[in-house]
Amino acid sequence: MKRLRQFPTLHIDTNETRSLKYRGKSLQGFAGDTVATALYANGIRIFSRSLKYHRPRGLYNLDGESSNTCMEVDGVPNVRTENTLLKDGMVVKAQNVKGSVDHDLMAFIDKLDWLMPAGFYYKTMHKPAAVWPVAMKAIRKAAGVGTISADYKVKGRYDEIFLTADVCVIGGGAAGMMAALTAAESGVRVIVLESRPHLGGCWDYRTGAYKENKPLFARARELAGQVENTSNIRVFKQTSMVGAYNNNLITAFQVGKSNDAFTERYVEIRSKSVVVATGCIERPLIFENNERPGVMQVACAHRLARSYGLLPGEAAVFSIGHDLGLEAALDLFDLGLKIRCVADIREDGHDAGLLAALAERKIPVLKGWVAAKAHGCKQVTKVTLATLDGTVKRHIPCDLLVASAGHTPVNGPLILAQTNIAYDNHSGFFLPKKLPEKMFSAGWMTGRSHPQAIEASGQVAGLKALAAIGVTDKTAVFAAEKEAAALPGIDRGCKLVTAPVKGRKSFICFDEDTTIKNIKQAIDMGFDVPELIKRFTSAGTGPGQGGIPGHNLPLFVSKYTASASKPMPTAVRPPLVPTLLATYAGAHHHMFKRTPLHASQKKGGGIFRNIGVWQRARYFSSDFDCKDEILNVRNNVGLLDSSTLGKFRIFGPDALKALQRLYVSDMSKLKQGRIKYSAMCNDDGCVIDDGIVIKRGDNDYYVTTSSGRAGNTVEWFRYHTRYDGWQYHMVNLTDAMGVINISGPNARKVLKKIADADISNNAFPFAGYREFTVKNTIPVRAMRLGFVGELSFELHVPSSYMQSVWDMLMAAGAEFNIKNFGLEAQNVLRMEKGHIILGQESEQRTNLLDLGLGFLWDRKKTAAKTVGAVALRQAENDPGRFKLVGIRMQDDARAPRDGALIVDTHVRGYVATARKSFTTGEAVGMALVESQLSKPGSRLEIYEDECNEIRLQARVVPMPFYDPDGQRMKM
Amino acid sequence: MALTLTCPICGKRNGYEFRYGGEDKGSRPDEKGLSPADWCDYVHMNTCTAGVQKEWWFHRDGCGAWFSTYRNTLSNLEVDRPEDST
Amino acid sequence: MLFTYKSLWGKKPRLKSSYEVVIIGGGLHGLATAYYLARDHGITDVAIVEKRYIGFGGAGRNTAIVRANQRTQYNVPLYKEALDLWPVLTKELDFNLMFNNCGNLNLMHSEAAMKAARMTIATAQFHGVESHLIDAKQAKEMVPALNISEDITFPIHGAMYHPPGGIVRHDAVVWGLAKGCAKKGVHIHQQTEATAIHTQGGKIAGVTTSQGHIKTPKVLVSAGGYSAGVINHMLGLKLPISVLTIQAMVTQPLKPLLNHVVSSGAYHCYANQTLKGEIATGAHMDPWPNYTTQTTAHYIKHQAEALSDWLPCLRGVRFMRIWGGLADMTPDMAPILEGNDPIGGFYMDCGWGYFGFKSCSAAGKYMAQFIATENCPDMLKPFNLRRYEKHQLMGETAALVSYTPDN
């Protein structure tokens, strides 16, 4: 197709070609073309087949308001080709097609529409019941538009950017640009978001007069130049605003240019004030076959010619309801389009100058006429025009039908930001009742279309935005408002929704193939609110985000139900423009913490797991039962990296009070040089943490928490003392200090070689706490614990020295064949000792007493208002609680799986942890059971998943299972 | 919705930096003579106010302060302290 | 004629001055309770008063997943019955509820989670509910789009596969139940707001609505996210409920990609494909109470990040629509079903969090029995309000929320 060249509004560069692949052929377009305009230039008229009826669909508009031109581009489904810039080498495919898009084998469905009235699937397909699964499969296959393969990897780089601004202007048309320039004059930081690749809005291609001898497009370019050259205005082009949230948070996505470092990026702007100047889109005219290829909207036809150099057809009929239709007809005629006739819905109110110009060119104008039907099965060949009452008809052959009932403001950004809109009878627009704080609207969307009025409204909005953030005062706003008020006001709009037709093939929503007839059916079935009709008929729920039916649906419902109330709009939801998940995800990356020993643990054969926020070595044995690790600790000596333990310094005059509030034990009895094991509960008495408390000096304590609680500990302490005004400080040392656990009968022999202190059992007994150095340099906090049930030292070492100390211990232990052990080995070792791990032996509802830890609780310190104490007191005689017990299997051959149930006729508890002990040879574990089953000797039936009703037998036994007197850890 | 909150130390910040800490119910009651119902009321029960309520927040991704402020649950925006509040 | 276009719920009824039972809230639980009051107990003198239109609230905003793999023995039987009722109701109501019995996969991302899953699965199997633990490879076979590599934030260890679950068309349930109610003579009053509940001598006396006063001895509040506020505002009863906004979203429609409901506690994320082809996803919630149903930028981004990890092909797909709804959360993720305590004739059905849809049929059935007989059915006894003051929380928390033990 020959392009029109050489006029100032073109956005294509005919010197630079771009190729694309479509249906096996290589086609040519130009730089600046969208995928769809390039296809159109190559004679492509059918772009897709519709969702339900497989009707041919063509280019209808250029801003992605329908899915008509959604195609698969480079493997990505549902790309809106009409506003996606063509890049060299793109591979394009039509969607929802069986056969080819021109000869779709499924096209016969269009004849079966009578079988598929509104909501037909609710009323059918369930009788008899066996039909449904079969029908469902068929529905699933037929539904959906694009295809994506399960292993698809999207190409490109996706980024994100978070900005702040004083004024954010949405829409780079004349009003938006005026608002931006006005605001920028005061020196504030302004951002302009424009979805097209260039500023200018609808003036960009319009030839109408701005002032004498200056067409609108020239004025648009003038303003754009000023905006681009203002240093405190940051312009984002090809950036579609997708979300507006209260508090003026604006989100958008930007498509990268060829020299940008990103393919697309997510843009989030927190702006002090916002100006919305998104203009209008056309309100579709509804008649029979109103979406047949060859039917398009006014701006689409006009822009094809003016921006892309494409005459949209040869001979056209216009069916319109506004002056922009007349203006476009005139301009397109002058560019060479034959115009058979212009049918204008309006009887009066036309622009006299435009009518005179049309008459001059002998273009017939029929007032009070409208298109009633488009003929031609794949492409318009003829149009039936009718008077508004449908009594007189005329048939006119043509290959292009430019159809547009009126305009509708792009209110999406306002509505998302919680603006209530209401129908305005004069303009036929939904207009805001009251704008949210610090958000203003300007331009055509306010109902004005006179060029000077548009600019003035932009100026007012810019000043209002400044006033709202205290940069100017209100007097400037009042002056500008007064000036604007003198200009032409809100236009009268055309209200016609449909041509005088029954509406069997008159589509109110293209994406979902919803007809006027469907809407009538839904209303007759009792769905009388637009929002419900939307749900029942799916109208407006497709990829076009309601662009096509958004205005017509409420209008039609109001007319059809003859309801006294005004048309009620349906909901608008983000994203206003469908947005790739890749773009939303942006520069998404993983966050995991590594201990100071990560690398050496890995080298040592550690098999890592993500546990909470940490990556930790869980196994050093590929068989996962960790026998060697376990026996090495029991009989020799092993090293464990426990760096993830929560570690805190708590100090200050009220530190003890805080400890008394949070821990169940009496912390006033703490002695320096001794460790105290205790627990923290929540206000239901349930255990949320356990750990060690150490007194290092007056009002100075060092505490450990479980790894998973470390992140919440400061919050927890402060929360429970928030009313008290106590003076104490907490320092989270979790990342500053690492922890090495050295355990086993040979542990002392190894540690002795590097510690600068006497660590004999007398000098440093069980439950003791010592601080000493290693090699006269490295400060170590050492405690003697017995979690794994052997002689054991826990060394808290500054993180930067962790690797050194670890290496020294490894070297010192080489003669004993010292080895790593991991978390699973520790898990089994401590289980044999009957030591609990919270979250494994407890769940959210398990209290201190259930776990047998009541001995930790000091009941006398009521004045401390200890967290959990009230609930523990209230629950202590409740027989209906679970108890933690030791169990031993009747058959020692194997332990039950963790999580197996204890049952009789009901569930009576569950197995928390159970293993066959390598140390004792017994299959033992811990279980939480109802209290009546908790007595030693009670028989338990265990029900595992997939057990086929074969239950395992066990009985309750005393704990611990290993070294009951605790001699080994006190060695 | 895009909540912002005013931390007494760090100023107005993104709401996602904070952790909600419940309706303001006053300081911990004395343990003596506290019935299970009273305690449950303090610990679990909420007024579920539709409107402005005083509530606690923790600046988790910030300074680590607990503070109370007022928020309208119908708009999800922080508001000035109402005149009739205590 | 093949199709008729008569109103599904007949003519709009006029508000009478008295009813035997008044139900506040025209959502799924209110409609289901009214339906069963009429069907099982012959009580048809029932008014449902709904401030907006039926299905405006959670009923129309959930993502329609149904399943019975709850964690505790108190919950499993209730949800099992609810699950079994979908085909029954489809037939009874003569309205296709479009139960897509596609099965649910609940992904497990750690060994601890696998253990937790075993317990849930054993509980399900013990109660005759089918549920199995499968490994990552098996999960990948069922869901080819799944990323089971090690280099994601939460590598997939396996999944809890629950074949009887799936998706039901939520709007259809609303409309079907409304149709069933209207047919049996229940009055559904839309655009009618209850403004006060009256008591006399510790018993319910009536309800004032925006359309007039109603005398009644029995009131059920089943107003979803608004229940706790309504109950406190009108009767001064505080509940252990926090009302949070939960969001869900759909992508553009695609040809079949996911044949199951897939969810992940660690990622706070689920995904399934609707019959229309959209990938519906959601699950996270903003952790502070509010009554807006507004969505957040933070959340749609979070969802994209999560899906990028575990269903990476969806990076090439576009989000089309996100919406929010209210979830009334209790501390133990289990509902409050209570009656005649402390006010005679007053019933409440609330605190469902995000389980309100999947439970509605069975909850309605037993609440109807409760209201009709004035005796709490055994099925509902564990859901009493007093459990919170007895410190006997339900332990349902781990049903979806991630499970990580502390070492």
Side-chain angles (χ1 to χ4, degrees):
Chain A
M1 221 174 138
K2 223 183 109 204
R3 301 271 186 138
L4 308 167
R5 289 174 201 237
Q6 288 171 340
F7 41 82
T9 56
L10 280 188
H11 284 294
I12 49 164
D13 179 353
T14 49
N15 296 317
E16 264 194 67
T17 58
R18 298 271 185 276
S19 72
L20 79 158
K21 263 214 161 107
Y22 178 62
R23 296 182 67 185
K25 280 191 212 146
S26 185
L27 307 177
Q28 298 267 302
F30 296 116
D33 259 327
T34 69
V35 178
T37 60
L39 288 169
Y40 202 85
N42 282 282
I44 307 297
R45 292 295 176 270
I46 304 176
F47 286 74
S48 68
R49 289 283 169 162
S50 70
L51 176 72
K52 210 156 99 187
Y53 300 135
H54 284 253
R55 289 168 67 89
R57 291 282 161 86
L59 196 58
Y60 186 78
N61 60 28
L62 286 169
D63 284 315
E65 286 142 27
S66 76
S67 60
N68 279 16
T69 62
C70 278
M71 301 176 90
E72 185 181 306
V73 177
D74 294 338
V76 177
N78 297 325
V79 175
R80 304 180 309 159
T81 58
E82 63 200 42
N83 58 357
T84 300
L85 282 185
L86 177 63
K87 284 185 203 157
D88 212 31
M90 274 178 163
V91 181
V92 181
K93 252 174 86 179
Q95 298 184 144
N96 207 37
V97 164
K98 208 160 192 139
S100 80
V101 72
D102 292 332
H103 302 281
D104 186 352
L105 300 175
M106 301 295 284
F108 70 91
I109 293 188
D110 194 22
K111 302 254 182 329
L112 302 180
D113 60 325
W114 55 277
L115 267 172
M116 293 179 267
F120 70 98
Y121 27 75
Y122 298 116
K123 299 164 97 188
T124 56
M125 298 183 177
H126 60 287
K127 287 182 287 195
V131 171
W132 175 236
V134 182
M136 191 166 59
K137 264 190 198 149
I139 290 177
R140 285 201 70 197
K141 258 171 96 177
V145 181
T147 309
I148 198 143
S149 66
D151 56 358
Y152 182 73
K153 281 198 178 96
V154 72
K155 285 187 211 84
R157 292 159 61 105
Y158 295 84
D159 200 359
E160 59 196 26
I161 178 170
F162 296 84
L163 302 156
T164 59
D166 295 306
V167 180
C168 177
V169 180
I170 300 164
M177 290 193 286
M178 277 307 286
L181 288 168
T182 308
E185 252 171 57
S186 68
V188 301
R189 296 168 309 141
V190 179
I191 287 177
V192 176
L193 304 178
E194 168 55 50
S195 60
R196 293 185 188 152
H198 47 81
L199 297 170
C202 69
W203 291 10
D204 176 70
Y205 55 88
R206 281 180 58 191
T207 46
Y210 169 69
K211 276 180 182 161
E212 242 176 282
N213 298 326
K214 189 188 266 185
L216 290 166
F217 70 80
R219 175 61 177 167
R221 277 157 182 72
E222 192 174 86
L223 286 173
Q226 287 174 30
V227 168
E228 306 253 24
N229 288 319
T230 305
S231 60
N232 54 330
I233 301 180
R234 190 167 174 184
V235 180
F236 287 83
K237 285 179 280 196
Q238 286 204 74
T239 303
S240 301
M241 178 268 183
V242 294
Y245 305 89
N246 63 13
N247 251 342
N248 284 338
L249 185 78
I250 304 294
T251 60
F253 76 89
Q254 181 179 19
V255 178
K257 296 193 293 291
S258 55
N259 57 345
D260 279 323
F262 55 88
T263 313
E264 283 190 8
R265 74 175 168 189
Y266 172 76
V267 182
E268 187 171 314
I269 303 160
R270 208 172 264 281
S271 185
K272 288 185 184 156
S273 64
V274 173
V275 174
V276 179
T278 38
C280 287
I281 56 171
E282 281 166 68
R283 186 164 63 76
L285 181 65
I286 300 174
F287 52 91
E288 288 291 282
N289 302 325
N290 57 328
E291 32 63 273
R292 187 65 80 215
V295 179
M296 66 174 64
Q297 293 191 317
V298 169
C300 179
H302 207 175
R303 281 173 71 196
L304 275 180
R306 279 280 157 191
S307 302
Y308 302 101
L310 286 164
L311 264 192
E314 283 186 17
V317 169
F318 276 59
S319 176
I320 46 102
H322 50 82
D323 283 344
L324 255 63
L326 301 180
E327 180 184 308
L330 201 60
D331 192 33
L332 286 166
F333 179 87
D334 290 349
L335 291 172
L337 182 70
K338 291 186 198 101
I339 296 183
R340 301 282 185 223
C341 121
V342 175
D344 197 322
I345 298 161
R346 300 171 297 173
E347 307 270 6
D348 52 34
H350 308 77
D351 182 296
L354 289 170
L355 282 184
L358 286 162
E360 209 175 283
R361 290 163 178 78
K362 302 203 169 56
I363 302 171
V365 176
L366 297 170
K367 293 181 189 170
W369 283 69
V370 66
K373 185 171 184 176
H375 303 267
C377 43
K378 286 178 190 165
Q379 162 79 27
V380 173
T381 55
K382 192 171 75 177
V383 176
T384 302
L385 294 177
T387 51
L388 295 185
D389 57 8
T391 49
V392 189
K393 284 187 180 154
R394 263 196 220 181
H395 307 286
I396 303 178
C398 64
D399 69 339
L400 177 71
L401 172 55
V402 179
S404 169
H407 290 97
T408 180
V410 180
N411 280 325
L414 297 176
I415 298 170
L416 293 187
Q418 309 303 308
T419 310
N420 282 323
I421 55 170
Y423 188 72
D424 172 60
N425 273 326
H426 174 67
S427 59
F429 280 18
F430 286 104
L431 293 174
K433 282 202 265 193
K434 182 175 173 276
L435 288 165
E437 252 184 271
K438 297 180 187 175
M439 180 175 265
F440 309 94
S441 65
W444 197 6
M445 68 186 306
T446 64
R448 292 162 186 84
S449 67
H450 187 270
Q452 270 73 41
I454 294 263
E455 289 193 5
S457 78
Q459 213 164 4
V460 171
L463 289 169
K464 280 183 174 169
L466 290 177
I469 58 175
V471 175
T472 58
D473 58 18
K474 289 260 169 76
T475 51
V477 178
F478 294 145
E481 272 181 326
K482 209 174 152 193
E483 242 173 80
L487 294 164
I490 296 178
D491 302 339
R492 194 184 73 183
C494 164
K495 321 277 184 336
L496 183 93
V497 192
T498 75
V501 290
K502 284 197 175 139
R504 178 172 163 195
K505 296 287 181 188
S506 301
F507 288 84
I508 196 164
C509 177
F510 300 175
D511 293 1
E512 301 290 328
D513 273 344
T514 316
T515 63
I516 286 294
K517 197 175 157 195
N518 295 149
I519 304 296
K520 289 181 187 167
Q521 290 161 347
I523 295 171
D524 293 345
M525 286 168 72
F527 297 90
D528 48 3
V529 187
E531 193 60 39
L532 277 176
I533 296 168
K534 182 175 154 186
R535 288 187 195 181
F536 190 65
T537 64
S538 315
T541 62
Q545 319 284 79
I548 297 290
H551 195 143
N552 278 334
L553 179 63
L555 225 53
F556 180 77
V557 173
S558 157
K559 285 213 169 134
Y560 185 74
T561 55
S563 74
S565 57
K566 285 182 172 182
M568 287 184 357
T570 55
V572 175
R573 305 189 189 282
L576 289 180
V577 173
T579 306
L580 278 181
L581 266 75
T583 308
Y584 264 122
H588 164 57
H589 53 260
H590 311 145
M591 279 189 289
F592 266 102
K593 285 167 77 166
R594 294 172 165 197
T595 76
L597 298 175
H598 187 88
S600 71
Q601 291 267 291
K602 196 137 232 183
K603 223 168 120 192
I607 298 169
F608 280 69
R609 294 284 183 259
N610 299 336
I611 297 174
V613 296
W614 293 93
Q615 292 194 307
R616 304 189 67 181
R618 185 159 185 109
Y619 309 96
F620 285 88
S621 330
S622 52
D623 62 357
F624 301 120
D625 69 7
C626 308
K627 185 175 181 182
D628 293 346
E629 293 169 53
I630 292 163
L631 294 178
N632 183 53
V633 174
R634 286 274 178 258
N635 302 320
N636 181 23
V637 56
L639 282 180
L640 172 77
D641 177 10
S642 293
S643 298
T644 64
L645 270 180
K647 298 168 281 287
F648 295 86
R649 182 186 176 199
I650 302 175
F651 63 105
D654 296 319
L656 179 61
K657 283 188 191 161
L659 296 177
Q660 292 287 61
R661 169 69 52 82
L662 274 303
Y663 284 96
V664 294
S665 313
D666 184 356
M667 293 301 172
S668 66
K669 293 177 185 159
L670 283 182
K671 287 191 192 78
Q672 275 178 257
R674 296 281 297 170
I675 57 174
K676 170 80 185 162
Y677 170 74
S678 189
M680 289 190 258
C681 293
N682 65 16
D683 277 323
D684 272 314
C686 301
V687 190
I688 55 129
D689 196 17
D690 63 343
I692 298 298
V693 182
I694 288 152
K695 184 175 180 178
R696 294 185 69 227
D698 284 345
N699 300 322
D700 194 354
Y701 301 86
Y702 182 63
V703 309
T704 68
T705 72
S706 49
S707 305
R709 281 296 297 182
N712 297 333
T713 299
V714 172
E715 179 181 328
W716 187 252
F717 266 73
R718 294 270 175 220
Y719 177 76
H720 286 288
T721 56
R722 69 196 186 285
Y723 286 100
D724 300 284
W726 290 343
Q727 293 296 308
Y728 69 96
H729 309 278
M730 291 185 78
V731 185
N732 187 341
L733 298 170
T734 303
D735 297 340
M737 311 264 285
V739 176
I740 298 170
N741 184 291
I742 177 167
S743 295
N746 289 326
R748 185 179 290 113
K749 288 179 203 156
V750 176
L751 181 60
K752 206 168 94 182
K753 289 163 85 176
I754 69 160
D756 307 328
D758 180 1
I759 59 162
S760 66
N761 203 27
N762 281 335
F764 187 3
F766 179 71
Y769 172 78
R770 296 291 181 272
E771 295 183 7
F772 51 77
T773 56
V774 166
K775 301 272 181 196
N776 284 320
T777 312
I778 306 171
V780 170
R781 298 177 180 184
M783 27 197 112
R784 279 206 48 196
L785 297 170
F787 194 49
V788 299
E790 300 296 337
L791 170 64
S792 177
F793 298 88
E794 193 169 282
L795 310 175
H796 294 220
V797 179
S799 291
S800 51
Y801 285 115
M802 274 290 283
Q803 192 65 55
S804 313
V805 173
W806 182 272
D807 291 344
M808 281 186 253
L809 286 169
M810 274 300 197
E815 61 172 299
F816 305 101
N817 201 13
I818 192 168
K819 275 184 192 149
N820 283 312
F821 68 104
L823 286 178
E824 172 58 18
Q826 184 198 38
N827 184 32
V828 178
L829 289 161
R830 63 91 203 174
M831 188 276 293
E832 291 172 350
K833 278 298 292 179
H835 291 150
I836 61 152
I837 292 179
L838 292 175
Q840 247 168 278
E841 275 68 38
S842 68
E843 48 184 342
Q844 193 208 22
R845 57 179 163 163
T846 310
N847 79 17
L848 190 76
L849 308 172
D850 300 347
L851 289 175
L853 295 177
F855 66 92
L856 295 174
W857 173 33
D858 185 295
R859 294 148 190 268
K860 278 172 276 171
K861 50 170 193 150
T862 50
K865 297 185 185 174
T866 302
V867 181
V870 173
L872 289 173
R873 202 166 277 126
Q874 287 170 1
E876 72 185 323
N877 296 318
D878 180 357
R881 299 200 63 90
F882 278 16
K883 295 281 169 217
L884 186 71
V885 296
I887 59 167
R888 179 170 174 193
M889 302 306 291
Q890 194 174 52
D891 179 357
D892 276 326
R894 84 168 173 96
R897 290 195 278 267
D898 293 353
L901 303 178
I902 312 289
V903 299
D904 45 36
T905 54
H906 286 81
V907 178
R908 301 293 178 197
Y910 68 93
V911 176
T913 312
R915 297 284 186 278
K916 182 175 163 76
S917 166
F918 297 116
T919 319
T920 65
E922 295 165 355
V924 291
M926 287 186 267
L928 275 160
V929 298
E930 288 183 6
S931 58
Q932 77 275 10
L933 294 174
S934 63
K935 285 190 196 74
S938 297
R939 298 210 159 269
L940 302 178
E941 279 187 38
I942 295 175
Y943 184 98
E944 288 182 313
D945 60 309
E946 312 296 350
C947 70
N948 291 322
E949 294 301 318
I950 298 166
R951 300 175 184 194
L952 305 174
Q953 305 297 320
R955 62 194 157 79
V956 176
V957 295
M959 287 191 286
F961 311 114
Y962 173 74
D963 184 26
D965 305 329
Q967 288 311 306
R968 295 185 62 88
M969 52 194 189
K970 294 177 185 160
M971 281 200 309
Chain B
M1 94 190 149
L3 178 67
T4 51
L5 289 165
T6 312
C7 168
I9 294 165
C10 310
K12 187 173 162 180
R13 307 286 306 173
N14 187 335
Y16 286 99
E17 291 181 11
F18 300 86
R19 159 96 164 237
Y20 176 70
E23 297 173 2
D24 180 35
K25 300 177 182 176
S27 57
R28 296 177 76 76
D30 270 328
E31 291 185 14
K32 254 191 198 152
L34 205 57
S35 71
D38 292 341
W39 182 242
C40 183
D41 193 60
Y42 182 74
V43 174
H44 291 302
M45 299 302 179
N46 293 319
T47 61
C48 295
T49 303
V52 175
Q53 70 174 16
K54 188 181 182 190
E55 56 194 25
W56 283 96
W57 287 86
F58 177 68
H59 199 183
R60 180 179 45 195
D61 298 341
C63 62
W66 275 103
F67 60 95
S68 56
T69 187
Y70 296 86
R71 187 176 56 100
N72 187 341
T73 61
L74 295 172
S75 65
N76 195 37
L77 291 175
E78 189 181 28
V79 295
D80 292 337
R81 176 183 168 160
E83 276 170 28
D84 57 351
S85 72
T86 46
Chain C
M1 206 171 153
L2 187 54
F3 296 102
T4 52
Y5 304 104
K6 278 194 303 210
S7 175
L8 287 174
W9 25 82
K11 271 187 154 172
K12 281 186 183 170
R14 284 185 54 155
L15 192 77
K16 295 196 303 169
S17 62
S18 82
Y19 286 96
E20 202 172 328
V21 180
V22 173
I23 295 173
I24 297 175
L28 289 164
H29 284 253
L31 288 165
T33 306
Y35 175 72
Y36 282 106
L37 274 171
R39 197 201 81 157
D40 293 354
H41 307 283
I43 300 176
T44 57
D45 187 24
V46 178
I48 297 175
V49 294
E50 165 58 49
K51 183 177 171 186
R52 309 291 287 258
Y53 52 83
I54 51 167
F56 167 82
R61 293 163 190 272
N62 65 83
T63 38
I65 297 168
V66 295
R67 56 186 175 82
N69 55 356
Q70 303 300 103
R71 187 167 178 263
T72 63
Q73 58 181 323
Y74 310 111
N75 286 265
V76 172
L78 184 70
Y79 287 87
K80 178 186 190 301
E81 184 156 354
L83 198 50
D84 292 341
L85 277 172
W86 299 118
V88 177
L89 279 173
T90 292
K91 203 170 162 194
E92 257 178 51
L93 300 169
D94 188 17
F95 202 74
N96 191 352
L97 305 182
M98 295 197 243
F99 179 25
N100 177 5
N101 170 216
C102 58
N104 310 47
L105 267 82
N106 195 346
L107 301 176
M108 299 295 148
H109 301 272
S110 67
E111 280 146 355
M114 292 290 271
K115 166 190 152 183
R118 280 198 187 284
M119 183 168 133
T120 306
I121 289 166
T123 307
Q125 291 177 354
F126 185 77
H127 290 95
V129 174
E130 195 182 352
S131 196
H132 306 285
L133 196 66
I134 58 174
D135 65 21
K137 252 180 76 186
Q138 290 167 306
K140 171 92 179 164
E141 275 162 27
M142 296 175 72
V143 186
L146 215 55
N147 180 1
I148 56 167
S149 71
E150 281 285 322
D151 61 347
I152 58 173
T153 307
F154 302 112
I156 294 165
H157 283 242
M160 178 158 72
Y161 174 45
H162 176 50
I167 320 165
V168 170
R169 173 86 183 124
H170 55 327
D171 287 333
V173 184
V174 175
W175 300 330
L177 283 171
K179 180 186 166 197
C181 284
K183 213 171 159 190
K184 293 192 187 302
V186 170
H187 282 188
I188 302 172
H189 300 287
Q190 303 188 67
Q191 263 111 40
T192 305
E193 182 183 3
T195 53
I197 302 172
H198 305 282
T199 59
Q200 208 165 29
K203 282 188 175 150
I204 290 292
V207 175
T208 303
T209 76
S210 56
Q211 308 295 325
H213 183 80
I214 307 169
K215 240 179 80 181
T216 183
K218 288 179 183 176
V219 169
L220 167 70
V221 173
S222 56
Y226 305 94
S227 298
V230 162
I231 291 169
N232 187 30
H233 178 70
M234 297 186 188
L235 295 168
L237 291 178
K238 285 199 274 180
L239 294 174
I241 280 176
S242 297
V243 182
L244 308 185
T245 305
I246 182 163
Q247 299 169 55
M249 62 208 81
V250 291
T251 67
Q252 292 183 329
L254 299 169
K255 292 290 177 197
L257 174 76
L258 296 176
N259 297 319
H260 307 277
V261 178
V262 195
S263 62
S264 160
Y267 280 111
H268 289 294
C269 186
Y270 61 75
N272 61 265
Q273 193 164 16
T274 65
L275 292 183
K276 274 182 74 183
E278 302 148 331
I279 308 290
T281 171
H284 200 69
M285 48 175 68
D286 289 305
W288 55 79
N290 77 96
Y291 288 99
T292 78
T293 52
Q294 297 166 31
T295 62
T296 60
H298 179 88
Y299 178 58
I300 193 167
K301 189 168 195 321
H302 160 91
Q303 205 69 13
E305 288 170 1
L307 291 169
S308 285
D309 258 20
W310 64 275
L311 286 174
C313 71
L314 292 182
R315 286 171 63 76
V317 176
R318 279 157 225 273
F319 275 138
M320 188 167 76
R321 187 165 62 247
I322 174 168
W323 66 94
L326 299 182
D328 50 343
M329 311 296 292
T330 59
D332 55 358
M333 302 284 281
I336 298 165
L337 301 165
E338 188 60 271
N340 296 318
D341 182 17
I343 299 166
F346 177 66
Y347 298 83
M348 58 180 121
D349 172 358
C350 55
W352 287 96
Y354 40 69
F355 300 136
F357 177 64
K358 40 186 93 34
S359 61
C360 70
S361 48
K365 182 177 161 187
Y366 287 103
M367 271 321 281
Q369 186 186 335
F370 197 166
I371 294 169
T373 63
E374 298 177 20
N375 278 314
C376 186
D378 286 344
M379 187 70 107
L380 302 188
K381 279 181 181 155
F383 304 102
N384 67 78
L385 177 58
R386 302 266 175 205
R387 70 182 187 269
Y388 299 100
E389 65 182 57
K390 291 181 191 151
H391 311 286
Q392 286 178 340
L393 274 58
M394 190 77 83
E396 201 51 59
T397 317
L400 188 65
V401 178
S402 64
Y403 186 88
T404 40
D406 300 322
N407 283 306

